[in-house]
Amino acid sequence: MGDPRFAVVRLGSLGDIVHTFPAVAALRQSFPSALIVWLTHPRWVDLVAGSDLATEIWPVDSRDLSSVRLAIRKLRSHRWDAGIDYQGLWKAALLPFFGGIHRRIGFSSATVREYGVPVLYSDRVDAKCAHVAEQNGELSLRAGARQGIAPFTLQVNANDTERVRCDLEKQGVRRYVVLSPGGGWRSKCWPPDRFAALCQRIARDLKTPCVVNYGPGEEELARTVQSNCVQGQSIAYDGEMGPLMALLRHAQCIVGGDTGPLHLAVALGTPAVALFGPTDPRRNGPFPPGDIVLRSPSAATTYTRSNQTAPSLLELSVDQVFDAVRSRLGARA
């Protein structure tokens, strides 16, 4: 029969792709010579490439009909043992379905976010694990992997590392803490004025400046943090994927909510302080566990998307977060 051939689908986003790596690593560990083709959004191609898990990476922009058609044609031109949809959304599940893959593995209706998606799968998996990374591993097990998850290593480009080092040294920064105030939904973001107060404490008491990382649409958050800091205490950074990975890899610590950069930093081995509110750290927290997760005892798991910070996040004080940062800095002392 030859080596197995898998088409794996995880189009985005950053944190979700990071939480898919352990499951695909289990496939690779179980089938070292397998063809593993990863379909993802063009924005995340470099990230997936850094894992060195996929034989090939096919960029697919689900909002571009020509891109989708091309991906389907390519899928139809190959023989596959299975298509594995780790995303559970219509836009992802349609690819192996229209790509003519006979065995299509995905989550059952108890796990997927969008109603009706499992009708496109031939194998529907009832996830039993708590964390989404381990749930993804249950799909790999169904595909024949010997174990659900496995370790992986993200490679950081040496040129990106040197570029970031030079950029920071020009501003007098060598040792730093990354603050990531964004997070997609404002309801899961700790307030920017508290990030600013935290930055001041870290700079004053730990003699360490902060790098405020922000992505598209988060410019105002970064400006708010910086405008409330004394000059030299913080710098803003909005680099692309390669430089972002270099920045996170060499940080002393990262502080952020349930957001992609925090999960990426954890995957790169950087100590983290994770601030959780309406999302459940048992499902979406740093993986593997081991970092500090702060969450109010009164926090309700709602996954509510709104433009206001969840009340439970407001119960996390600057002193509490600072103490956690000081503790995590000991991990790199």
Side-chain angles (χ1 to χ4, degrees):
M1 288 183 60
D3 296 314
R5 304 166 66 88
F6 300 109
V8 304
V9 184
R10 182 79 234 194
L11 302 177
S13 55
L14 174 54
D16 295 322
I17 290 175
V18 169
H19 283 159
T20 304
F21 284 146
V24 180
L27 278 180
R28 177 56 73 202
Q29 187 178 85
S30 300
F31 307 105
S33 301
L35 174 71
I36 299 178
V37 174
W38 191 315
L39 287 77
T40 193
H41 189 278
R43 182 179 180 186
W44 310 119
V45 167
D46 288 345
L47 171 63
V48 175
S51 71
D52 202 28
L53 295 172
T55 314
E56 299 178 23
I57 305 168
W58 294 358
V60 184
D61 185 348
S62 60
R63 297 184 179 183
D64 182 345
L65 187 56
S66 64
S67 176
V68 173
R69 284 175 172 168
L70 176 60
I72 290 172
R73 285 199 301 270
K74 291 172 71 175
L75 287 170
R76 285 187 168 274
S77 69
H78 289 69
R79 176 190 65 80
W80 304 99
D81 289 278
I84 311 172
D85 175 20
Y86 292 103
Q87 190 145 2
L89 302 179
W90 283 104
K91 64 183 181 181
L94 285 168
L95 293 170
F97 182 80
F98 285 118
I101 301 177
H102 295 293
R103 190 180 185 205
R104 302 177 302 279
I105 302 171
F107 293 113
S108 71
S109 57
T111 305
V112 295
R113 296 206 315 267
E114 292 185 346
Y115 177 78
V117 172
V119 73
L120 300 180
Y121 305 137
S122 62
D123 293 32
R124 303 175 186 91
V125 176
D126 292 319
K128 305 299 183 184
C129 296
H131 199 282
V132 67
E134 294 172 314
Q135 292 177 6
N136 289 330
E138 295 181 74
L139 299 186
S140 295
L141 286 170
R142 178 64 65 90
R146 291 190 299 269
Q147 59 192 49
I149 59 174
F152 65 94
T153 301
L154 288 178
Q155 304 297 324
V156 179
N157 183 279
N159 291 333
D160 289 328
T161 298
E162 181 62 16
R163 172 184 164 188
V164 171
R165 185 189 66 80
C166 290
D167 287 347
L168 294 179
E169 285 192 351
K170 288 177 183 177
Q171 302 184 66
V173 174
R174 290 180 179 270
R175 186 174 183 269
Y176 57 92
V177 170
V178 171
L179 305 183
S180 188
W185 333 332
R186 186 60 63 89
S187 56
K188 62 179 183 177
C189 298
W190 202 46
D193 61 315
R194 296 198 186 183
F195 270 106
L198 176 66
C199 177
Q200 294 174 31
R201 286 287 305 277
I202 293 172
R204 184 188 70 207
D205 297 350
L206 303 179
K207 311 303 181 187
T208 304
C210 293
V211 177
V212 182
N213 172 68
Y214 65 97
E218 298 174 350
E219 295 83 1
E220 185 59 35
L221 287 175
R223 279 195 293 269
T224 300
V225 175
Q226 282 209 288
S227 65
N228 285 280
C229 291
V230 176
Q231 185 175 5
Q233 291 181 335
S234 71
I235 61 173
Y237 193 87
D238 66 341
E240 297 179 350
M241 182 52 59
L244 174 62
M245 292 174 68
L247 176 79
L248 297 175
R249 173 65 183 85
H250 296 283
Q252 299 301 305
C253 177
I254 183 173
V255 183
D258 180 9
T259 181
L262 180 127
H263 296 302
L264 177 58
V266 171
L268 289 164
T270 300
V273 175
L275 314 178
F276 271 69
T279 57
D280 187 352
R282 291 173 299 180
R283 182 182 187 276
N284 302 102
F287 191 86
D291 288 283
I292 295 177
V293 177
L294 300 180
R295 194 187 194 210
S296 169
S298 68
T301 300
T302 64
Y303 288 90
T304 299
R305 303 187 181 206
S306 75
N307 294 323
Q308 299 295 323
T309 298
S312 61
L313 276 168
L314 298 177
E315 296 177 21
L316 300 179
S317 69
V318 173
D319 286 344
Q320 185 180 4
V321 178
F322 173 76
D323 288 342
V325 171
R326 182 164 50 189
S327 174
R328 291 306 285 146
L329 286 181
R332 288 218 162 170

